[in-house]
Amino acid sequence: MKLITVAGPPSSGKTSVLLRIIEALNEQGLRAGVIKFDCMATFDDERYAKHNIPVLVGLSGSVCPDHYFVTNIEACMEWGASKELDLLITESAGLCNRCSPYIRQVMSVCVIDHLSGLNTPAKIGPMLKLADLILLTKGDVVSQMEREVFRYRVRQANPKAELVPVNGLTGQGKERVRDLFAQAPETGALEGSKLRFSMPAAVCSYCLGETRIGEDAQMGNVRKIWKPHTELH
């Protein structure tokens, strides 16, 4: 079974694009399923189920989505094997743009849309910079000049990834992405595998449920933007 991790900012069109790509995979006789990761709630599983695509939902709640992903990915692989899938696709939103936990030797895909702004690629961390494949969505609603500038900015952030324009409504680009997914390496046991980048670090009093504001309530991993009396005059 091939594991493919797909991430991107919220509302970038991940689910619509994946529905089209899985449709193309099915036409080639490949069976794909989806693990939908989110924080508080999701309704995308209903869209997958409507198209008879096996889907499992994981909601992280108060836990960091990255940490939740890593501590559950092995169980997800077992679920995919039980469904006799050829491809298991995880879909998660990089809510802070610092995410997502891509795994070495596992195809990693970032979905980013042209409407997010020309400076957005510079604001996204490993989720964009360490992806193998970048899918550019919503290019049909911006000008050719905006598309070219946006593509240039994405290329600055990640010079190595393949860029593919896709359209979740028309299906444009789905065949190319299908072929790339089909060429992804087989994924064996993940125990002992490593992430491509360390996850966001936060072990502080607020992680443990603190609600008070003030330095007396702040313990652990705390970073200050500015401290009084430290500037030179």
Side-chain angles (χ1 to χ4, degrees), residues 19 22-23 26 30-34 44-55 79 83 85:
L19 285 170
I22 293 173
E23 176 184 62
N26 291 340
L30 296 172
R31 179 172 165 80
V34 177
D44 291 338
D45 55 316
E46 298 175 5
R47 299 179 63 188
Y48 287 118
K50 185 177 179 180
H51 290 81
N52 298 315
I53 298 171
V55 59
W79 176 84
K83 296 295 182 181
L85 302 176

mmCIF file of all heavy atoms in Angstrom, residues 19 22-23 26 30-34 44-55 79 83 85:
data_model
loop_
_atom_site.group_PDB
_atom_site.id
_atom_site.type_symbol
_atom_site.label_atom_id
_atom_site.label_comp_id
_atom_site.label_asym_id
_atom_site.label_seq_id
_atom_site.Cartn_x
_atom_site.Cartn_y
_atom_site.Cartn_z
ATOM 1 N N LEU A 19 -11.070 14.418 -4.568
ATOM 2 C CA LEU A 19 -12.195 13.679 -5.161
ATOM 3 C C LEU A 19 -11.952 13.439 -6.644
ATOM 4 O O LEU A 19 -12.218 12.343 -7.164
ATOM 5 C CB LEU A 19 -13.497 14.452 -4.950
ATOM 6 C CG LEU A 19 -14.086 14.403 -3.537
ATOM 7 C CD1 LEU A 19 -15.227 15.409 -3.403
ATOM 8 C CD2 LEU A 19 -14.584 12.997 -3.206
ATOM 9 N N ILE A 22 -8.959 10.863 -7.023
ATOM 10 C CA ILE A 22 -9.376 9.499 -6.701
ATOM 11 C C ILE A 22 -10.278 8.952 -7.804
ATOM 12 O O ILE A 22 -10.222 7.756 -8.138
ATOM 13 C CB ILE A 22 -10.068 9.467 -5.327
ATOM 14 C CG1 ILE A 22 -9.051 9.801 -4.225
ATOM 15 C CG2 ILE A 22 -10.712 8.106 -5.067
ATOM 16 C CD1 ILE A 22 -9.648 9.954 -2.844
ATOM 17 N N GLU A 23 -11.091 9.814 -8.372
ATOM 18 C CA GLU A 23 -11.914 9.407 -9.519
ATOM 19 C C GLU A 23 -11.021 8.890 -10.648
ATOM 20 O O GLU A 23 -11.296 7.845 -11.255
ATOM 21 C CB GLU A 23 -12.738 10.607 -9.993
ATOM 22 C CG GLU A 23 -13.564 10.372 -11.233
ATOM 23 C CD GLU A 23 -14.265 11.637 -11.687
ATOM 24 O OE1 GLU A 23 -13.558 12.615 -12.026
ATOM 25 O OE2 GLU A 23 -15.503 11.658 -11.696
ATOM 26 N N ASN A 26 -9.488 5.510 -9.684
ATOM 27 C CA ASN A 26 -10.463 4.419 -9.838
ATOM 28 C C ASN A 26 -10.589 3.987 -11.289
ATOM 29 O O ASN A 26 -10.774 2.794 -11.585
ATOM 30 C CB ASN A 26 -11.828 4.849 -9.299
ATOM 31 C CG ASN A 26 -11.842 5.010 -7.785
ATOM 32 O OD1 ASN A 26 -10.981 4.464 -7.093
ATOM 33 N ND2 ASN A 26 -12.802 5.754 -7.271
ATOM 34 N N LEU A 30 -7.346 1.418 -9.458
ATOM 35 C CA LEU A 30 -6.679 1.569 -8.170
ATOM 36 C C LEU A 30 -7.683 2.004 -7.108
ATOM 37 O O LEU A 30 -8.481 2.918 -7.332
ATOM 38 C CB LEU A 30 -5.546 2.593 -8.275
ATOM 39 C CG LEU A 30 -4.394 2.210 -9.214
ATOM 40 C CD1 LEU A 30 -3.433 3.378 -9.394
ATOM 41 C CD2 LEU A 30 -3.651 0.987 -8.682
ATOM 42 N N ARG A 31 -7.640 1.349 -5.965
ATOM 43 C CA ARG A 31 -8.577 1.637 -4.879
ATOM 44 C C ARG A 31 -7.899 2.525 -3.849
ATOM 45 O O ARG A 31 -6.852 2.180 -3.290
ATOM 46 C CB ARG A 31 -9.027 0.327 -4.237
ATOM 47 C CG ARG A 31 -9.989 0.469 -3.069
ATOM 48 C CD ARG A 31 -10.494 -0.919 -2.660
ATOM 49 N NE ARG A 31 -11.125 -0.922 -1.361
ATOM 50 C CZ ARG A 31 -12.370 -0.537 -1.116
ATOM 51 N NH1 ARG A 31 -13.115 -0.109 -2.119
ATOM 52 N NH2 ARG A 31 -12.882 -0.583 0.106
ATOM 53 N N ALA A 32 -8.487 3.692 -3.599
ATOM 54 C CA ALA A 32 -7.912 4.662 -2.667
ATOM 55 C C ALA A 32 -8.888 4.975 -1.542
ATOM 56 O O ALA A 32 -10.104 5.004 -1.737
ATOM 57 C CB ALA A 32 -7.532 5.946 -3.405
ATOM 58 N N GLY A 33 -8.341 5.210 -0.362
ATOM 59 C CA GLY A 33 -9.130 5.632 0.786
ATOM 60 C C GLY A 33 -8.504 6.865 1.406
ATOM 61 O O GLY A 33 -7.355 7.210 1.111
ATOM 62 N N VAL A 34 -9.257 7.538 2.275
ATOM 63 C CA VAL A 34 -8.815 8.814 2.837
ATOM 64 C C VAL A 34 -8.947 8.822 4.352
ATOM 65 O O VAL A 34 -9.940 8.345 4.907
ATOM 66 C CB VAL A 34 -9.642 9.985 2.255
ATOM 67 C CG1 VAL A 34 -9.234 11.302 2.896
ATOM 68 C CG2 VAL A 34 -9.484 10.059 0.740
ATOM 69 N N ASP A 44 -16.279 16.877 5.502
ATOM 70 C CA ASP A 44 -15.730 16.373 4.247
ATOM 71 C C ASP A 44 -15.877 14.868 4.119
ATOM 72 O O ASP A 44 -15.909 14.335 3.003
ATOM 73 C CB ASP A 44 -14.248 16.755 4.129
ATOM 74 C CG ASP A 44 -14.050 18.247 3.923
ATOM 75 O OD1 ASP A 44 -15.005 18.907 3.456
ATOM 76 O OD2 ASP A 44 -12.968 18.753 4.231
ATOM 77 N N ASP A 45 -15.957 14.159 5.255
ATOM 78 C CA ASP A 45 -16.127 12.713 5.178
ATOM 79 C C ASP A 45 -17.429 12.344 4.474
ATOM 80 O O ASP A 45 -17.517 11.306 3.804
ATOM 81 C CB ASP A 45 -16.084 12.092 6.573
ATOM 82 C CG ASP A 45 -17.102 12.712 7.529
ATOM 83 O OD1 ASP A 45 -17.231 13.953 7.535
ATOM 84 O OD2 ASP A 45 -17.750 11.956 8.267
ATOM 85 N N GLU A 46 -18.439 13.217 4.603
ATOM 86 C CA GLU A 46 -19.713 12.958 3.920
ATOM 87 C C GLU A 46 -19.539 13.039 2.409
ATOM 88 O O GLU A 46 -20.177 12.294 1.655
ATOM 89 C CB GLU A 46 -20.760 13.963 4.390
ATOM 90 C CG GLU A 46 -21.066 13.872 5.889
ATOM 91 C CD GLU A 46 -22.018 14.949 6.348
ATOM 92 O OE1 GLU A 46 -22.521 15.722 5.490
ATOM 93 O OE2 GLU A 46 -22.272 15.038 7.565
ATOM 94 N N ARG A 47 -18.668 13.925 1.950
ATOM 95 C CA ARG A 47 -18.419 14.060 0.516
ATOM 96 C C ARG A 47 -17.711 12.827 -0.023
ATOM 97 O O ARG A 47 -18.029 12.321 -1.105
ATOM 98 C CB ARG A 47 -17.598 15.311 0.232
ATOM 99 C CG ARG A 47 -18.273 16.609 0.647
ATOM 100 C CD ARG A 47 -17.397 17.809 0.349
ATOM 101 N NE ARG A 47 -17.149 17.966 -1.081
ATOM 102 C CZ ARG A 47 -16.289 18.851 -1.596
ATOM 103 N NH1 ARG A 47 -15.580 19.619 -0.777
ATOM 104 N NH2 ARG A 47 -16.122 18.939 -2.895
ATOM 105 N N TYR A 48 -16.739 12.320 0.749
ATOM 106 C CA TYR A 48 -16.042 11.114 0.319
ATOM 107 C C TYR A 48 -16.995 9.909 0.320
ATOM 108 O O TYR A 48 -17.014 9.112 -0.632
ATOM 109 C CB TYR A 48 -14.861 10.828 1.244
ATOM 110 C CG TYR A 48 -13.703 11.777 1.060
ATOM 111 C CD1 TYR A 48 -13.273 12.612 2.092
ATOM 112 C CD2 TYR A 48 -13.020 11.842 -0.150
ATOM 113 C CE1 TYR A 48 -12.206 13.479 1.931
ATOM 114 C CE2 TYR A 48 -11.948 12.714 -0.325
ATOM 115 C CZ TYR A 48 -11.550 13.524 0.717
ATOM 116 O OH TYR A 48 -10.491 14.384 0.544
ATOM 117 N N ALA A 49 -17.782 9.783 1.388
ATOM 118 C CA ALA A 49 -18.708 8.649 1.489
ATOM 119 C C ALA A 49 -19.731 8.679 0.355
ATOM 120 O O ALA A 49 -20.128 7.626 -0.165
ATOM 121 C CB ALA A 49 -19.409 8.670 2.847
ATOM 122 N N LYS A 50 -20.138 9.876 -0.061
ATOM 123 C CA LYS A 50 -21.112 10.011 -1.152
ATOM 124 C C LYS A 50 -20.560 9.425 -2.445
ATOM 125 O O LYS A 50 -21.326 8.953 -3.298
ATOM 126 C CB LYS A 50 -21.458 11.489 -1.337
ATOM 127 C CG LYS A 50 -22.542 11.750 -2.368
ATOM 128 C CD LYS A 50 -22.868 13.232 -2.443
ATOM 129 C CE LYS A 50 -23.936 13.503 -3.496
ATOM 130 N NZ LYS A 50 -24.271 14.967 -3.568
ATOM 131 N N HIS A 51 -19.243 9.424 -2.589
ATOM 132 C CA HIS A 51 -18.602 8.869 -3.787
ATOM 133 C C HIS A 51 -18.053 7.463 -3.528
ATOM 134 O O HIS A 51 -17.211 6.967 -4.284
ATOM 135 C CB HIS A 51 -17.462 9.790 -4.245
ATOM 136 C CG HIS A 51 -17.932 11.087 -4.823
ATOM 137 N ND1 HIS A 51 -18.308 12.159 -4.043
ATOM 138 C CD2 HIS A 51 -18.102 11.496 -6.115
ATOM 139 C CE1 HIS A 51 -18.674 13.173 -4.810
ATOM 140 N NE2 HIS A 51 -18.560 12.791 -6.064
ATOM 141 N N ASN A 52 -18.540 6.844 -2.451
ATOM 142 C CA ASN A 52 -18.155 5.465 -2.108
ATOM 143 C C ASN A 52 -16.648 5.318 -1.885
ATOM 144 O O ASN A 52 -16.051 4.282 -2.229
ATOM 145 C CB ASN A 52 -18.636 4.485 -3.184
ATOM 146 C CG ASN A 52 -20.150 4.466 -3.326
ATOM 147 O OD1 ASN A 52 -20.854 4.422 -2.320
ATOM 148 N ND2 ASN A 52 -20.639 4.521 -4.548
ATOM 149 N N ILE A 53 -16.035 6.341 -1.334
ATOM 150 C CA ILE A 53 -14.607 6.313 -1.020
ATOM 151 C C ILE A 53 -14.457 5.987 0.466
ATOM 152 O O ILE A 53 -15.027 6.684 1.311
ATOM 153 C CB ILE A 53 -13.951 7.669 -1.332
ATOM 154 C CG1 ILE A 53 -14.071 7.976 -2.828
ATOM 155 C CG2 ILE A 53 -12.494 7.672 -0.889
ATOM 156 C CD1 ILE A 53 -13.643 9.390 -3.191
ATOM 157 N N PRO A 54 -13.732 4.927 0.810
ATOM 158 C CA PRO A 54 -13.523 4.610 2.229
ATOM 159 C C PRO A 54 -12.882 5.794 2.950
ATOM 160 O O PRO A 54 -11.896 6.355 2.468
ATOM 161 C CB PRO A 54 -12.570 3.405 2.182
ATOM 162 C CG PRO A 54 -12.778 2.801 0.830
ATOM 163 C CD PRO A 54 -13.076 3.953 -0.083
ATOM 164 N N VAL A 55 -13.431 6.171 4.090
ATOM 165 C CA VAL A 55 -12.933 7.359 4.788
ATOM 166 C C VAL A 55 -12.982 7.144 6.290
ATOM 167 O O VAL A 55 -13.899 6.505 6.817
ATOM 168 C CB VAL A 55 -13.745 8.617 4.391
ATOM 169 C CG1 VAL A 55 -15.223 8.451 4.727
ATOM 170 C CG2 VAL A 55 -13.175 9.874 5.048
ATOM 171 N N TRP A 79 -5.677 0.492 9.356
ATOM 172 C CA TRP A 79 -7.044 0.644 8.824
ATOM 173 C C TRP A 79 -7.037 0.512 7.301
ATOM 174 O O TRP A 79 -7.877 -0.174 6.726
ATOM 175 C CB TRP A 79 -7.606 1.998 9.237
ATOM 176 C CG TRP A 79 -8.969 2.291 8.673
ATOM 177 C CD1 TRP A 79 -10.177 1.891 9.175
ATOM 178 C CD2 TRP A 79 -9.262 3.041 7.486
ATOM 179 N NE1 TRP A 79 -11.200 2.343 8.384
ATOM 180 C CE2 TRP A 79 -10.673 3.059 7.335
ATOM 181 C CE3 TRP A 79 -8.485 3.707 6.547
ATOM 182 C CZ2 TRP A 79 -11.307 3.709 6.283
ATOM 183 C CZ3 TRP A 79 -9.114 4.349 5.493
ATOM 184 C CH2 TRP A 79 -10.500 4.350 5.367
ATOM 185 N N LYS A 83 -8.864 -2.378 4.719
ATOM 186 C CA LYS A 83 -9.771 -2.044 3.622
ATOM 187 C C LYS A 83 -9.198 -2.488 2.272
ATOM 188 O O LYS A 83 -9.834 -2.277 1.237
ATOM 189 C CB LYS A 83 -10.023 -0.533 3.585
ATOM 190 C CG LYS A 83 -10.733 0.022 4.819
ATOM 191 C CD LYS A 83 -12.132 -0.526 4.943
ATOM 192 C CE LYS A 83 -12.846 0.085 6.150
ATOM 193 N NZ LYS A 83 -14.226 -0.449 6.302
ATOM 194 N N LEU A 85 -6.653 -1.353 0.538
ATOM 195 C CA LEU A 85 -6.451 -0.193 -0.329
ATOM 196 C C LEU A 85 -5.128 -0.296 -1.075
ATOM 197 O O LEU A 85 -4.148 -0.846 -0.574
ATOM 198 C CB LEU A 85 -6.466 1.097 0.500
ATOM 199 C CG LEU A 85 -7.718 1.391 1.326
ATOM 200 C CD1 LEU A 85 -7.508 2.656 2.142
ATOM 201 C CD2 LEU A 85 -8.944 1.523 0.428
#
